[in-house]
Amino acid sequence: TAYAFASQRLLSLLMEEHKLMERLSSIKSFFLMGQGDVFVHFMDMAEHELRKKHDDIVASRIESLLDLAVRTSVAANDPFKEDLKVDIVPYDLITQLFRIINVRGHTLGPTEQVYPAFEPHASGLTGVEAFTLDYRVEWPVSLVVSRKSITKYQLLFRHLFHCKHVERQLCAVWQAHKQAKWNPIYTTKWHAAAFCLRQRMLSFISNYSYYAMFEVIERQWHIFTQEMQTVKTIDNVLAIHNDFLETCLKDCLLTTPELLRSLAKLQAICVNFSNAMLRLIPSATVSIATQAEQNMKMHSQDNFEELIKNFDSNFTLLTLQLLINIQTISKTASEHHLSYLLSRLDPNDYYARLMEQNPHLVEQAARLNEETKGQYTDDGTPPPVRHHPPVWELPQSRHSRLQALLNLKQL
């Protein structure tokens, strides 16, 4: 038919003259962090700027730093790097996602849930939270890389970029702890507890980042490129490209509000813990005597003990909540891909054993107020938690325990 002939001709124009696959590969390397060294250099150079409030950031300066990072990395040979742009938006990722969910909710059936709107906290928004990428696309490539597709790429980028930021903060704490462990000031058991908590946080964030980057995005990209080799019409391209983006969003938890909330709270705790530790551990250039004097002024042993206890209990509780929700959704909603994430976040069954030994933690995790936004203060103060009397006993056997976890939503 005439339509099929025109569609094939347009597809040929896109693939051969406009190099559609090369352009999509370029978009992936930037938005989905396929070229990791670009953002390592960029975060090194733009760290000071990204700490500012979003109103104080000069977008042209950030764009210059990104351009410098691109040109000093392996992405310098990318033929489409000039189409990359920087955008500073006045809302964070969570706000943007829940707005999209609300819009979608109005078009869904009467049984679907419409989630409450979240107003942006523009006054406290930092550059890290407001930073995103944009991309200049011209016709006919814009038929495939539409504004809607770019928005999905932006959602994935902001999520991955924030994960890298959290991981970077925890690595800075690791460096500070490595210097501090030779100092006799930091030999108490609570400093050892802080070191262990930092390692648990770093392991959690690193394992999630690995899951998102390799077990989701790289796997889906491999499937996408294979399917693109057999397309016949432009409609096939649009469908395959949309499926690729939707699957990445879903598998990275960006379309599941319950899991996204828990993950955002855990990231907030990690960032606040990092900020607190970096303030409490002076620079290695400061003398031991000066360090002792500063630490005596900044905190007593009791205060530091309470600080670590707060961070540890909140991180553990929210991790258990996330793992329980993942377990529940993977079974009840047939989202079997989440089982891979579950094994990544608890590779040695540490949290599984913790639930077996402390059933009250499971109940507290199940009772967490889902409406809490998870904005923790620097002293690790926990969010409001509803306390209820025990309504069930956790079975002792592993099989029975996992089966019981599937019923937590019914409590």
Side-chain angles (χ1 to χ4, degrees):
T1 64
Y3 174 78
F5 175 77
S7 180
Q8 290 177 357
R9 292 289 295 172
L10 177 58
L11 178 61
S12 176
L13 176 68
L14 285 169
M15 300 293 285
E16 297 176 7
E17 183 174 340
H18 292 275
K19 302 183 183 300
L20 177 62
M21 284 306 300
E22 288 83 350
R23 185 172 288 275
L24 289 175
S25 180
S26 174
I27 293 174
K28 172 186 174 289
S29 67
F30 292 117
F31 282 85
L32 304 184
M33 295 192 176
Q35 303 287 358
D37 61 330
V38 173
F39 294 100
V40 171
H41 296 329
F42 172 72
M43 295 177 82
D44 286 339
M45 293 184 292
E47 181 178 7
H48 177 70
E49 287 292 322
L50 293 177
R51 286 180 178 176
K52 297 179 180 178
K53 301 299 182 183
H54 84 284
D55 288 334
D56 300 330
I57 294 177
V58 181
S60 59
R61 186 177 304 168
I62 296 293
E63 192 158 0
S64 298
L65 293 174
L66 178 62
D67 182 67
L68 179 60
V70 170
R71 295 181 185 280
T72 55
S73 68
V74 295
N77 297 323
D78 193 316
F80 306 108
K81 61 180 180 293
E82 300 297 336
D83 293 328
L84 189 67
K85 299 188 296 181
V86 165
D87 194 10
I88 305 296
V89 294
Y91 43 81
D92 59 17
L93 174 63
I94 301 296
T95 301
Q96 184 179 9
L97 281 168
F98 276 95
R99 282 179 172 178
I100 294 173
I101 291 173
N102 278 333
V103 171
R104 288 183 174 182
H106 290 296
T107 62
L108 295 175
T111 59
E112 296 290 343
Q113 181 179 3
V114 178
Y115 292 89
F118 282 77
E119 293 299 326
H121 300 281
S123 58
L125 201 64
T126 63
V128 172
E129 298 169 312
F131 172 74
T132 188
L133 298 179
D134 203 351
Y135 202 79
R136 187 183 302 106
V137 183
E138 297 180 355
W139 194 91
V141 179
S142 59
L143 294 174
V144 178
V145 189
S146 62
R147 197 65 239 172
K148 183 177 179 181
S149 297
I150 291 177
T151 299
K152 294 177 181 179
Y153 278 113
Q154 287 177 329
L155 293 174
L156 288 165
F157 170 78
R158 297 184 73 182
H159 183 58
L160 296 173
F161 185 77
H162 189 64
C163 288
K164 289 297 181 184
H165 166 69
V166 176
E167 187 175 0
R168 179 185 174 85
Q169 290 292 98
L170 290 171
C171 287
V173 176
W174 173 79
Q175 291 178 329
H177 282 172
K178 191 174 181 180
Q179 297 169 355
K181 70 180 182 179
W182 302 108
N183 192 324
I185 300 172
Y186 303 103
T187 57
T188 65
K189 65 175 182 177
W190 292 111
H191 285 94
F195 294 179
C196 293
L197 178 58
R198 176 260 303 158
Q199 190 58 39
R200 284 173 53 205
M201 290 180 172
L202 184 58
S203 176
F204 176 88
I205 295 296
S206 299
N207 286 336
Y208 176 78
S209 298
Y210 180 90
Y211 162 80
M213 296 288 294
F214 294 98
E215 296 189 9
V216 175
I217 292 175
E218 288 299 331
R219 177 175 177 271
Q220 294 301 323
W221 177 257
H222 179 69
I223 295 173
F224 170 73
T225 53
Q226 285 187 324
E227 292 179 344
M228 284 292 291
Q229 296 175 2
T230 60
V231 294
K232 301 297 182 182
T233 64
I234 190 64
D235 291 332
N236 297 142
V237 174
L238 294 175
I240 293 172
H241 186 231
N242 184 69
D243 288 345
F244 163 70
L245 291 174
E246 289 289 342
T247 303
C248 288
L249 287 169
K250 182 184 69 173
D251 290 1
C252 289
L253 313 184
L254 296 183
T255 60
T256 311
E258 295 83 359
L259 301 181
L260 185 61
R261 280 197 193 100
S262 298
L263 184 60
K265 293 175 188 178
L266 284 165
Q267 289 176 333
I269 290 179
C270 292
V271 171
N272 288 332
F273 172 80
S274 300
N275 294 335
M277 291 297 102
L278 291 174
R279 285 201 307 270
L280 294 174
I281 300 178
S283 172
T285 59
V286 180
S287 66
I288 294 179
T290 305
Q291 288 183 25
E293 182 181 354
Q294 290 178 352
N295 279 274
M296 288 298 292
K297 292 180 180 180
M298 293 179 69
H299 63 88
S300 66
Q301 183 63 32
D302 292 339
N303 290 338
F304 187 75
E305 177 182 343
E306 187 65 25
L307 177 75
I308 299 303
K309 279 184 176 180
N310 281 336
F311 276 121
D312 190 286
S313 62
N314 286 309
F315 180 77
T316 300
L317 196 61
L318 285 171
T319 302
L320 293 180
Q321 183 197 33
L322 178 62
L323 295 177
I324 290 171
N325 287 339
I326 291 174
Q327 180 92 26
T328 303
I329 293 175
S330 67
K331 298 297 183 181
T332 59
S334 298
E335 300 289 351
H336 301 298
H337 63 278
L338 293 177
S339 60
Y340 296 106
L341 177 58
L342 193 64
S343 62
R344 278 285 169 196
L345 298 182
D346 191 18
N348 58 355
D349 286 341
Y350 169 80
Y351 294 104
R353 292 193 300 270
L354 191 65
M355 286 187 286
E356 289 180 349
Q357 298 168 6
N358 303 275
H360 66 280
L361 292 179
V362 181
E363 184 185 350
Q364 290 183 35
R367 299 294 185 179
L368 274 179
N369 187 353
E370 292 186 358
E371 299 302 321
T372 303
K373 295 183 180 181
Q375 297 175 348
Y376 291 83
T377 59
D378 286 349
D379 63 353
T381 303
V385 179
R386 298 172 183 170
H387 296 283
H388 299 269
V391 295
W392 68 302
E393 293 293 332
L394 192 65
Q396 295 302 316
S397 68
R398 182 177 178 84
H399 175 76
S400 301
R401 175 177 56 79
L402 293 177
Q403 189 65 37
L405 291 179
L406 300 181
N407 301 323
L408 283 176
K409 290 294 183 179
Q410 301 175 3
L411 292 177

